[in-house]
């Protein structure tokens, strides 16, 4: 029936003069029925797609995922596995870790894990392509040597002098790339370490300088200050990582109220918002200006750390340098089999694969540590800052500490009330000397002119007894 419909529609449109009116009517009827059925199917499909769209909107945002063809290397999966391995290796060393790190058996341990390393596994596509090119060059040259190819087929080989000249340039490129990336990694670690130190310091300042009495109206401001201080490392961490949920961390690790959590989540720049709330809490409390200046210095340090981290995150190493290094590496290893054929023969394949793995691995390490935040143990640092602030708050509420503070206050008041004479009755009193009156050179000259000169000596006075004016 379908073949008849196709034939009738073809005859109707291609050769209408050779068909009868009845056949044309039958073909037109079939074509109309088919069009109606097709339109009905399209309408139902559109209706179903609209319903799915409405359902997706009600269920949540639509997530678009990239589809990699099956005939290509699944680079996306390899990269995901590599980053998952980096997340698992975010550790902070202790004494046992340092002993293991410096042990003499580290060489065998590292060689044992070479086949399970995700970073080395991520080099599989690039190294495989370079090895395939080397295998193709070796196979072609072997066929030419055996005479299996026509006489005009050349042997693919070249002098190794160009590689002797360009190898130092490639080495300098890789060394500079790795050193620049490590500099960024080290700078980020120092900024996060400084954030940890400043968090401890400002916690101590707040607990010591702000309101201590629970019955004052300023005490809730101090508690709010400490709550947001514990939330600051978490907001700082999630500002540079896409892992986990800030809301879950705030509800699990802090004592913030629902309103305070909603305020943090509604902010565009959440670390800045937390700093603003802390600054307002400090401003609303009566404090010595000297203490206020000291705490403001810590706020400035927090702002500098956030700005420095954003600079590292948003500004990579110049992309032209990264592209130059990648292109140089690829071209270098693409033509390496041509230079290795004459001295090595079949060994060209494993030597090319080994060289590609080494050089590509060095470049891969430089690219990985260029963005230091997914590699650093930010979870551990943030939790350390939060737990330190919470511990200091608990210590400040301890009864022994509170009594010690009260005793110190009473002692200072008593010392200020007792006079120096009562403490040291036999000590000599210090009487300040009166300050001399100030006289300018003009005043001295005027006084000298106003003083009359001494009278001349009498002639009856001997010469030896006369003064300097007698001469």
């Amino acid at each position: 029936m379908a073949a008849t419909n196709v034939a009738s529609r073809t005859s109707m449109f291609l050769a209408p003069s050779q068909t009868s009116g009845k056949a044309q009517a039958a073909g037109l009827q079939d074509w109309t029925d088919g069009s109606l059925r097709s339109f009905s199917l399209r309408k139902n499909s559109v209706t179903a797609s609209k319903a799915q769209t409405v359902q997706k909107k009600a269920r949540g945002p639509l997530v678009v995922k990239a589809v990699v063809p099956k005939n290509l290397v699944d680079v996306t999966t390899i990269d995901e596995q590599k980053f998952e391995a980096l997340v698992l290796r975010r550790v902070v060393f202790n004494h046992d870790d340092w002993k293991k790190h410096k042990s003499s058996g580290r060489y065998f341990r590292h060689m044992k894990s070479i086949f399970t390393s995700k970073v080395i596994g991520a080099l599989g596509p690039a190294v495989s392509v370079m090895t395939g090119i080397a295998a193709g060059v070796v196979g072609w040259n072997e066929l030419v040597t055996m005479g299996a190819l026509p006489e005009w087929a050349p042997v693919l080989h070249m002098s190794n002098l160009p590689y002797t000249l360009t190898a130092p340039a490639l080495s300098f490129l890789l060394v500079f790339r790795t050193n620049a990336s490590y500099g960024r990694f080290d700078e980020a670690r120092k900024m996060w370490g400084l954030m940890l130190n400043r968090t401890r310091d400002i916690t101590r300042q707040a607990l010591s300088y702000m309101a201590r009495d629970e019955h004052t109206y300023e005490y809730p401001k101090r508690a709010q200050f400490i709550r947001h201080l514990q939330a600051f490392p978490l907001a700082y961490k999630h500002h540079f990582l896409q892992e986990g949920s800030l809301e879950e961390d705030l509800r699990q690790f802090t004592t913030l109220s629902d309103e305070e959590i909603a305020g943090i989540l509604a902010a565009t720049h959440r670390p800045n918002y937390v700093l603003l709330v802390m600054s307002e809490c400090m401003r609303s409390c009566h404090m010595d200006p000297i203490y206020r200046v000291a705490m403001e210095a810590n706020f400035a340090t927090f702002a500098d750390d956030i700005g420095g981290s954003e600079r590292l995150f948003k500004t990579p190493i110049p992309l032209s340098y990264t592209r130059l290094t990648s292109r140089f590496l690829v071209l270098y290893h693409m033509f390496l089999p041509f230079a290795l054929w004459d001295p090595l023969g079949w060994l060209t394949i494993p030597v090319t694969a080994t060289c590609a793995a080494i050089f590509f691995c060095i470049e891969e390490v430089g690219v990985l540590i260029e963005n230091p935040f997914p590699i650093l143990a930010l979870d551990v640092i943030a939790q350390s800052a939060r737990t330190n602030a919470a511990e200091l708050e608990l210590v400040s509420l301890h009864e022994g500490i509170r009594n010690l503070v009260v005793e110190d206050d009473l002692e200072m008041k008593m010392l200020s009330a007792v006079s120096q004479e009562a403490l040291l009755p036999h000590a000599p009193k210090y009487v300040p000397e009166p300050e001399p009156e100030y006289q300018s050179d003009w005043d001295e000259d005027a006084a000298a002119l106003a003083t009359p000169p001494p009278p001349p000596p009498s002639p009856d006075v001997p010469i030896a007894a006369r003064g300097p004016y007698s001469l």
Side-chain angles (χ1 to χ4, degrees):
M1 182 64 184
T4 306
N5 293 338
V6 172
S8 62
R9 287 197 295 271
T10 304
S11 62
M12 178 182 67
F13 287 103
L14 297 181
S17 59
Q18 300 178 3
T19 57
S20 61
K22 186 175 181 180
Q24 289 183 359
L28 181 61
Q29 182 65 31
D30 293 339
W31 179 81
T32 304
D33 296 341
S35 300
L36 291 176
R37 286 194 299 272
S38 177
F39 176 76
S40 178
L41 290 175
R42 287 198 302 271
K43 183 177 180 181
N44 294 335
S45 177
V46 170
T47 304
S49 64
K50 288 183 177 179
Q52 292 177 0
T53 302
V54 173
Q55 186 178 2
K56 289 180 180 179
K57 288 183 179 180
R59 188 168 57 242
L62 180 62
V63 179
V64 180
K65 295 184 179 180
V67 180
V68 181
K70 295 182 179 180
N71 56 346
L72 298 178
V73 179
D74 195 357
V75 182
T76 305
T77 304
I78 296 176
D79 291 338
E80 290 178 354
Q81 294 176 356
K82 176 177 64 177
F83 288 114
E84 289 177 359
L86 291 178
V87 171
L88 295 176
R89 295 182 182 273
R90 295 176 186 166
V91 294
V92 177
F93 269 32
N94 53 26
H95 296 286
D96 295 335
D97 294 329
W98 279 114
K99 291 180 181 178
K100 183 179 179 181
H101 181 71
K102 295 184 294 184
S103 66
S104 302
R106 63 182 181 274
Y107 306 103
F108 307 102
R109 185 176 69 252
H110 296 164
M111 289 300 298
K112 183 180 179 181
S113 62
I114 191 173
F115 298 104
T116 59
S117 174
K118 300 300 181 182
V119 176
I120 297 178
L123 305 176
V127 175
S128 300
V129 171
M130 299 299 113
T131 307
I133 294 175
V137 171
V138 171
W140 174 274
N141 291 339
E142 284 292 333
L143 292 177
V144 172
T145 304
M146 294 169 55
L149 295 178
E151 297 181 356
W152 53 265
V155 176
L156 303 179
H157 67 104
M158 61 180 291
S159 173
N160 58 4
L161 181 60
Y163 281 85
T164 305
L165 298 176
T166 57
L170 180 60
S171 301
F172 281 125
L173 281 175
L174 292 177
V175 168
F176 177 81
R177 184 72 169 78
T178 307
N179 288 345
S181 299
Y182 178 76
R184 295 166 58 89
F185 176 86
D186 185 58
E187 185 179 1
R189 180 62 185 90
K190 288 179 179 178
M191 287 189 295
W192 276 81
L194 183 60
M195 184 275 298
L196 177 60
N197 298 339
R198 295 301 95 193
T199 302
R200 296 167 179 168
D201 188 39
I202 199 172
T203 304
R204 176 189 57 80
Q205 291 173 341
L207 296 174
S208 300
Y209 304 155
M210 300 178 74
R212 298 178 184 175
D213 191 358
E214 299 180 1
H215 302 288
T216 59
Y217 71 95
E218 296 178 354
Y219 190 81
K221 292 295 181 180
R222 168 187 161 177
Q224 186 180 9
F225 182 95
I226 299 300
R227 290 197 303 270
H228 282 82
L229 181 59
Q230 296 177 15
F232 174 72
L234 302 177
Y236 190 12
K237 180 195 73 172
H238 284 278
H239 190 62
F240 296 98
L241 296 180
Q242 294 181 335
E243 304 166 3
S245 172
L246 176 59
E247 182 178 2
E248 295 179 0
D249 288 350
L250 292 177
R251 295 186 182 280
Q252 182 178 359
F253 300 112
T254 65
T255 57
L256 292 171
S257 63
D258 294 339
E259 184 179 358
E260 291 172 337
I261 294 176
I264 295 176
L265 297 178
T268 304
H269 198 293
R270 293 165 180 174
N272 276 347
Y273 175 82
V274 176
L275 292 180
L276 178 61
V277 175
M278 293 166 58
S279 181
E280 289 295 326
C281 293
M282 183 189 68
R283 185 187 62 83
S284 61
C285 294
H286 294 286
M287 296 173 55
D288 192 297
I290 298 178
Y291 300 154
R292 193 182 300 274
V293 170
M295 296 182 70
E296 286 291 346
N298 285 326
F299 282 122
T301 303
F302 287 146
D304 292 340
D305 286 347
I306 296 173
S309 300
E310 290 177 343
R311 171 175 52 82
L312 292 178
F313 182 77
K314 296 182 179 179
T315 308
I317 294 175
L319 299 179
S320 58
Y321 190 88
T322 303
R323 288 192 292 264
L324 174 63
T325 307
S326 300
R327 292 165 183 168
F328 200 167
L329 276 174
V330 172
L331 295 176
Y332 187 91
H333 290 89
M334 281 180 61
F335 293 97
L336 183 60
F338 298 93
L340 297 180
W341 166 252
D342 289 337
L344 297 180
W346 276 98
L347 292 177
T348 300
I349 299 176
V351 171
T352 301
T354 304
C355 291
I358 293 174
F359 282 96
F360 278 97
C361 187
I362 295 175
E363 199 264 347
E364 179 70 15
V365 170
V367 173
L368 285 178
I369 64 178
E370 182 181 1
N371 180 18
F373 302 109
I375 304 174
L376 288 172
L378 301 186
D379 293 328
V380 180
I381 299 175
Q383 290 298 336
S384 298
R386 184 195 63 80
T387 54
N388 289 336
E391 182 181 3
L392 288 175
E393 185 182 16
L394 291 178
V395 170
S396 66
L397 297 177
H398 193 270
E399 185 177 358
I401 298 295
R402 294 174 64 89
N403 294 335
L404 178 62
V405 172
V406 173
E407 292 176 1
D408 291 342
D409 291 342
L410 292 176
E411 184 178 359
M412 292 301 297
K413 291 179 181 179
M414 292 174 62
L415 289 175
S416 60
V418 178
S419 62
Q420 186 177 4
E421 295 181 358
L423 291 176
L424 300 174
H426 303 289
K429 296 183 178 180
Y430 171 73
V431 180
E433 298 180 357
E435 297 182 359
E437 297 182 359
Y438 173 76
Q439 292 183 350
S440 62
D441 295 340
W442 177 263
D443 296 336
E444 293 179 358
D445 296 341
L449 293 176
T451 303
S458 174
D460 298 333
V461 179
I463 297 176
R466 297 180 182 181
Y469 295 98
S470 61
L471 300 178

